[in-house]
Structures are given as C-alpha cells and as structure tokens.
Amino acid sequence: MNRHLRALLGVTAAAVIATTLAGPAHADTSRSDRPFLFTYTYAGHLKVAGGNFTVGGRVYVSVKFRNGVSAFGKWAVARTHPVTPGGAVYVDTPLASPCNGSGNGYAEAYDSVTRTWSARLPVTVCRRID
C-alpha cells in the first residue's frame, strides 16, 4: 500500500471515528431503527410506550386529536428495557381506555437527542367523565 493511500485511509478512519463519537448529525428515518410507538390499556388509562429512542435522552410523548389539538403531553427519559429495543419510554396518560369510537387522534414522540419524530400512531382519544 503506498504512502498516499495509507494517509488517505488514516484521515478517513479518523473522520469516521470523530463522526461516530460526536453522534448523528441528522436522523436517517429510512432505517429500521426509527423510533416507534405502541399503546396498551392498564387500570382504565391509555399507556403510550415505544422504543429506539436515545438511551438517557429526553423524549416528548404526546397524544393529539386529528386537528392537532393536544390532549396530553409529557417529557420522559428513555431507558434500557429487556424487551423493547433501544431506549424505551413507558408513559401513563390520564386519558380513558379502552373507549368506543374510531381513531380520532394520534400519538407521537420526539427524541430530543436525534431530533427525530416517531411515526404517528392512530389512537382513539377519550376523556373520563367522573
């Protein structure tokens, strides 16, 4: 291998290492490790959970009506989880669940480290009348 090629490879390797240590400059949303959400019901409330967030990073979880009006929002810290890949969040909402009706809203989450939004997950937004 000639000296010029070795120098080029050395610079390239250093650039790759520096880029890796600095973290992502932007989010590649075409990859399979894009943040995702799922919902479930527990104790009569809608729970929003998801994975592939940055471990230790702040994640904003929101539930909105289709017109964009917020029904719920909360910051959480993504943590490792034995089943959910990447950084996981599990958030309890005050919204009733299960409830009748069709998907009149959606849940989404924002990873503040990578500046990446999860895909919107259709949900039915209901409020308790107690």
Side-chain angles (χ1 to χ4, degrees):
M1 186 180 310
N2 71 33
R3 182 174 38 121
H4 296 291
L5 183 55
R6 278 188 297 213
L8 178 62
L9 289 175
V11 170
T12 303
V16 168
I17 290 169
T19 302
T20 302
L21 293 175
H26 67 282
D28 179 3
T29 57
S30 66
R31 297 184 331 196
S32 64
D33 59 351
R34 180 178 180 187
F36 66 90
L37 293 178
F38 59 94
T39 60
Y40 61 100
T41 297
Y42 183 76
H45 291 148
L46 175 69
K47 310 291 185 180
V48 180
N52 285 338
F53 297 100
T54 304
V55 175
R58 290 171 38 100
V59 176
Y60 186 72
V61 178
S62 66
V63 177
K64 296 181 179 180
F65 291 97
R66 271 193 255 151
N67 64 5
V69 172
S70 180
F72 171 82
K74 180 178 183 177
W75 283 99
V77 175
R79 310 252 186 243
T80 59
H81 190 273
V83 176
T84 308
V89 293
Y90 286 80
V91 177
D92 184 12
T93 77
L95 303 171
S97 183
C99 57
N100 295 326
S102 61
N104 62 346
Y106 60 91
E108 65 182 348
Y110 177 74
D111 185 322
S112 66
V113 174
T114 62
R115 299 179 182 166
T116 303
W117 284 95
S118 67
R120 290 181 176 180
L121 178 67
V123 298
T124 301
V125 181
C126 295
R127 297 199 185 261
R128 288 189 169 287
I129 302 175
D130 293 330

